[in-house]
Amino acid sequence: MTVLGLSRFQFAMTTVFHFFFVPLTIGLAFTVAVMETIYVVKRKYIYKRMAQFWGKIFLLGFAVGVVTGIIQEFQFGMNWSNYSRFMGDIFGAPLAIEALLAFFMESTFIGVWMFTWNRFKPGVHVIFIWLTWFGSTCSAIWILAANSFMQNPVGYGINKKTGHAEMTNFAAVISNPQLWREFPHIATGALMLGGMVVVGMSAFGFMHKNADRAFFNRSIRVGAIIALIGSILVIITGDLQTLEIIKDQPMKFAATEGIYEDLKSPAPWMVVGLINEGAHKSAGLEIPGMLSLLAFHKLYGGTIQGMNTLNQQFLGERGKIIKNGIAHPEISNYYVPTNVLFWSFRFMAAVGFAVLILAICTLWFTRKSKNTLADSRWKLWVLGVCTYLPFIGTTGGWLITELGRYPWIVYGLQTIADAVSPTATVTSLLITNIVYFLLFCLMGGVMIFYSRRVLHQGPEPDPQTATQPVTEGSHVGAHAANRKVALA
Amino acid sequence: MTQFLAKPLIDGNNFLQLLWFFVIALVFAIFLFLDGIDFGVGMATRVLAHNGDERALYMRAIGPHWDANEVWLITGGGAMFASFPLWYASLFSGYYLLLFIVLVGLILRGVSFEFASHAVTDRERNVWQWANFAGSVIAPFGLGMMLTSVIQGVPMDAQGNVHAGFFDVVNWLSIVGGVAVVFFSFLHGLHFLSLKLDAKTSERMLNTSKKVYWIAYPALVIFVILAFIFTDFYQRRTKSTLLITVVILAATICGHIATYKKRGGFAFISTGVTLAGIIAFIFNGLFPNVMIATDPSKSLAVSVASSSQYTLEIMTIVLCCLLPIVLIYFIWSYYIQRKRLITDDSPASIKAASVY
């Protein structure tokens, strides 16, 4: 266990955990906003109940997302101080703008939205949730602007005196082509995730004995439509992003496809395969010509470079990574962790298509003329378990993005090994890793536990149509009902 | 214009570097002013509240705001990263474990609001209310310790890496500093609650804070004495340091008098000034450095730690455009929640008030 290894593990753990909740917040905020907007337009009370009910899940996710985000921000200084020194000039600006432009908006209006259901007209109140969604989406743009620079540095110069990177063109930093491929993919992925969570949770909701069927039926359809649109868009944007990556980070692309030797068109696509990272060889089930279609959208023209070629090319261009006049001790080649990338990509892509199919099926089985979903237990179970699917997809996405730039922390400019804090110790990193891990398990567990409870409590009964009072058995409902804070 | 921006004004720092040093100080002062409320309210939940429902009512009082208040810390961190990356790197890597403890405190507190509102039994709710209390004590104490151990001079190497040993972080000044921040946050929270709750509770808050002041005074006086011994603030920056000390003391006394006169609003402003004054004291003393090393030649100066002129220009434009907008809706969000909370006959819960 080295400082570098532990720091990398900590960063990966925090990013992955934080990124369960970021798309959940963005996606659910959007879903809730759509529901509340329908309420404003149609004035059907059920949509207000839907917005309030799914809003509870959204708020739970938001709470966990916020606190993990704080760790993320300070981690750059704590664990990666040399990176912060090298890159702060460029990396800090988007981060500060994110706080000013996005995070203030998000956290102010979420507070306003939560506490003002009775204070504002529906048409005004709905604006607050849209602003919350807008804030969280903006925040994604700025964080990704910073991340895109790490993938594809633009608009900078190296200060000869300090050796630090300095921003020379702000417009270039925020118009980084990498950013405008990464952001749409993530924003639409968040919509897909938000929609799928509503679909999956509604499926579980149907199975509860006191389920409000009409309520969950309406919810599952809204969720499925959002998941459907989201999954179509996420596949398109993912494709566009890949085209960019083939140009900017060919090594990353080659690794996601497990290509060691150059491939001439029409290149076959390896669906699944075994990769031997040590021997630099891979073999598996292949579809002829498919990779050329995926990568270039045509069968002929274009060669795909393999990792062996790219490694030789990088070694030739940059030599071994040189630091202070000597070859870098820890890095002797430019290969990336191929197995992780290969399988992450397959899981991610599979999730995208799976959600697409699930969403279509959901809409089909809940169609007006013949609504059979709620009575088919196995279908509900499949949908319910699939709540977790998109989270696997987002994790795969981050692993590809971040491990794919190995050994660089900033592509071509600074290695991960050079970025770590010189003062960090194995002891302190072990302590923090263990505590964070336990905290994440606790928060994730409690989040799932309370989401489940919210689901089983069900939505608040509709006062216009409700004939029966809160059920005796529902302790929670009774508990909530006899406690009130009034505004004087 | 560009000539003026590049010209050194004070101690070799040009206008934008001075501006951003001031902005960072201001953001941290606002953070302590606002989140001091939340920390103090969190502490009050254990010290004053009689039962879980009262605790929930206190937490409800800051429910709509704590989140946005904490964003000032995130903004402070981000702004520091953007305008003084070397400071950001040295400070947070050097105070690794202390900052980690603060973060754990903030995490516990951050999730407790939402989780407590989902609890079914009083026992379960109590767990999250304890988490809220623990976070509300740990975070200001840790931050107070960090701020006050920074000003004493820490062992740094030429690259700006801080090699702080245990006693560099934990010593008399930093402990008293931490305690002082905790107590003033507590007072600040009590004063805020006296403005947010019904007349009877409000009176109870002020009566308690009357007594707490007698603990806060010694903490403050000892802090001033220790700062005189452990730092060179009073020697190096005599006038300004004395002035800020007087302001802090005067604000504290005013706040105390206000509690006797049952003027909650006035007392609230006073403790706020004291908290902001602590930040002013520290930043004023640090200048023209951002980190003071035990070997003065290795201290990190504002002019060295800052990012490039271009980045500072961009950040200044962004700040001037966005801050006014942020302030408008931020203040508006307080304004619409200005009414006092009262409980009806049945006991209170955040749950009842949060969504409906």
Side-chain angles (χ1 to χ4, degrees), chain A residues 3 6-7 10 79 424-433, chain B residues 96:
Chain A
V3 168
L6 287 169
S7 295
Q10 183 164 324
N79 291 349
T425 60
V426 171
T427 327
S428 57
L429 274 161
L430 260 183
I431 297 171
T432 51
N433 266 328
Chain B
Y96 193 90

Side-chain angles (χ1 to χ4, degrees), chain A residues 52 62 70 73 77 79 85 89 103-105 107 114 117 119 167 170 423 450 453 460 475 482-483 486, chain B residues 67 70-71 74 78 88 96 118 120 124-125 128 161 307-308 310-311 329 336 342 346 352 354-356:
Chain A
Q52 289 181 334
F62 183 80
I70 299 180
E73 188 194 29
N79 291 349
R85 289 194 183 100
D89 204 276
F103 212 33
F104 265 121
M105 187 187 280
S107 42
M114 261 170 94
W117 279 96
R119 308 274 305 280
M167 184 151 53
F170 183 66
T423 49
Y450 280 150
R453 182 185 279 172
E460 298 289 319
H475 173 60
N482 63 25
R483 297 176 163 196
Chain B
D67 198 4
E70 206 167 272
V71 176
I74 294 164
Y88 173 86
Y96 193 90
H118 282 275
V120 170
E124 189 188 334
R125 192 167 51 147
W128 299 116
N161 294 310
S307 45
S308 67
Y310 179 74
T311 299
Y329 65 64
I336 57 165
I342 59 153
S346 54
S354 63
V355 182
Y356 306 101

Side-chain angles (χ1 to χ4, degrees), chain A residues 228-240:
Chain A
L228 176 66
I229 297 169
S231 59
I232 293 169
L233 291 175
V234 87
I235 291 166
I236 296 171
T237 53
D239 181 56
L240 290 174

Side-chain angles (χ1 to χ4, degrees), chain A residues 108 112, chain B residues 34 37-38 65-66 68-69 192 196 329-339:
Chain A
T108 306
V112 174
Chain B
L34 292 170
I37 299 170
D38 307 335
H65 308 300
W66 72 269
N69 290 347
F192 180 78
K196 275 307 275 192
Y329 65 64
F330 192 84
I331 293 167
W332 171 80
S333 80
Y334 270 86
Y335 177 77
I336 57 165
Q337 298 280 349
R338 68 192 177 283
K339 284 184 178 162

Side-chain angles (χ1 to χ4, degrees), chain B residues 28-69:
Chain B
F28 276 103
I30 296 175
F31 161 70
L32 208 56
F33 185 105
L34 292 170
D35 234 19
I37 299 170
D38 307 335
F39 296 140
V41 170
M43 290 178 226
T45 58
R46 279 294 146 188
V47 182
L48 272 126
H50 294 123
N51 53 40
D53 290 333
E54 249 183 75
R55 275 189 275 281
L57 178 69
Y58 294 2
M59 279 161 76
R60 164 66 181 83
I62 53 170
H65 308 300
W66 72 269
D67 198 4
N69 290 347

